Amino acid sequence: MSTERKKTRLEQLQQETDQRNFIKSYPVLNKISKISSTDKQLIELVLAYQDNDQPFKMSFGKIADLLGIESKTVSNIVLKLSTLGIVIPDHKANDVVNGVGRGSSTDLAIDIDRIIELVKAPAEPKASRKPRTKKEPASTPEPVQDPQPTPAVDVEQRAPAEPIESVQQPEQVATDKLDVKKAEMKAKFESKFHFGTKGLPIIPADFHSLTNNIFRDALHFKIIMDRIRGLVNNDFEGFWSAVQDLKKELPK
């Protein structure tokens, strides 16, 4: 007859904190050069639930408290690990009442097969350093005789030509910056809706999240709803066009 081991005081405190008996540490994760120690802590936290067949439904704020980091850092880590294929986020929109979304939530899961693949991947070879070459001693210069004086010649002095610099026009600079912002927004858009069902309407909560809430307090709710109505999560160009149109409505 087996008896259950009595929990230590630290294990009891851990269970009182987040209902987990303990969180296993996986030193083998250190073999993945692309993740940091904080990334590893988040993976181990999710696995503590996943290994017990329980969904991981913790808010980013709660995760931040447990790991001792900021909520924004948690968001960046989840985005990074999902890009690597390690974390599988399941973004769910909450109920919609009278056409207004009531927020959203994200469940996290770990792709074990992807972790094993990254652990077993061969390490990237380090660039070899070239051996330093021994400097040759400087040779002693031979004495140089003074040259014969050259007769003076009246030469017309001309001002040196000014170098022609390539000047980028203001319109081109603005266009380049807009292209960069569009590329960054497209990556953020595709990452947010990568794992969900395609063709679903974009709810206001997701729209404000993608645009960093720049329109939420600056424009009337009806103006925003009229512009984002009909947008779907697999049409970035339509989303980008709506963002540009709403920017024109912002107060100067």
Side-chain angles (χ1 to χ4, degrees):
M1 182 176 178
S2 62
T3 57
E4 185 179 355
R5 180 180 65 85
K6 184 180 179 181
K7 293 184 178 68
T8 66
R9 294 170 62 192
L10 190 58
E11 287 174 339
Q12 292 174 357
L13 178 62
Q14 176 66 53
Q15 188 174 26
E16 292 171 3
T17 302
D18 65 345
Q19 290 75 50
R20 293 288 89 210
N21 288 335
F22 59 89
I23 298 175
K24 290 183 180 179
S25 177
Y26 295 92
V28 72
L29 294 177
N30 294 326
K31 292 183 176 294
I32 305 177
S33 60
K34 295 181 179 180
I35 65 174
S36 66
S37 58
T38 309
D39 301 340
K40 176 173 168 286
Q41 288 179 340
L42 177 58
I43 294 172
E44 292 170 342
L45 177 61
V46 178
L47 286 176
Y49 287 77
Q50 185 170 312
D51 291 345
N52 288 280
D53 298 323
Q54 295 181 7
F56 186 80
K57 295 178 176 293
M58 191 177 294
S59 68
F60 285 2
K62 177 65 174 178
I63 296 173
D65 290 340
L66 289 174
L67 300 185
I69 56 179
E70 299 291 336
S71 297
K72 185 176 181 181
T73 305
V74 175
S75 178
N76 292 336
I77 292 175
V78 170
L79 177 59
K80 171 187 173 181
L81 294 179
S82 63
T83 303
L84 290 173
I86 295 175
V87 165
I88 305 173
D90 184 11
H91 191 75
K92 298 177 181 179
N94 295 336
D95 296 336
V96 178
V97 179
N98 297 327
V100 180
R102 301 177 66 86
S104 59
S105 60
T106 302
D107 298 346
L108 302 180
I110 301 298
D111 188 337
I112 301 296
D113 292 334
R114 177 56 176 163
I115 285 183
I116 294 174
E117 178 186 348
L118 291 172
V119 168
K120 292 185 176 181
E124 298 179 359
K126 295 183 179 180
S128 57
R129 296 182 178 179
K130 294 183 178 180
R132 293 183 179 180
T133 57
K134 193 174 182 180
K135 293 184 179 181
E136 296 291 337
S139 58
T140 305
E142 297 181 356
V144 181
Q145 296 181 351
D146 293 336
Q148 297 295 326
T150 305
V153 179
D154 187 10
V155 180
E156 182 181 358
Q157 297 290 332
R158 294 188 180 182
E162 296 183 358
I164 302 176
E165 297 181 359
S166 175
V167 180
Q168 205 171 12
Q169 297 298 323
E171 296 82 359
Q172 182 63 37
V173 173
T175 302
D176 292 343
K177 289 183 178 180
L178 185 62
D179 290 342
V180 172
K181 290 182 178 179
K182 184 176 182 180
E184 292 175 348
M185 180 65 78
K186 185 175 182 181
K188 187 176 180 182
F189 182 92
E190 293 177 347
S191 174
K192 187 173 187 66
F193 301 117
H194 179 71
F195 294 98
T197 304
K198 306 302 180 187
L200 292 179
I202 297 178
I203 63 175
D206 288 340
F207 182 83
H208 291 311
S209 173
L210 287 167
T211 54
N212 297 325
N213 298 318
I214 62 174
F215 303 113
R216 186 179 60 182
D217 299 326
L219 297 176
H220 193 276
F221 178 75
K222 187 176 183 301
I223 296 176
I224 299 174
M225 287 300 300
D226 288 343
R227 193 63 194 86
I228 70 175
R229 185 177 291 111
L231 297 181
V232 291
N233 63 6
N234 60 344
D235 179 16
F236 171 74
E237 293 299 332
F239 168 81
W240 178 254
S241 177
V243 171
Q244 301 311 304
D245 289 345
L246 285 173
K247 282 185 176 181
K248 298 175 183 177
E249 301 288 340
L250 290 174
K252 303 298 184 181

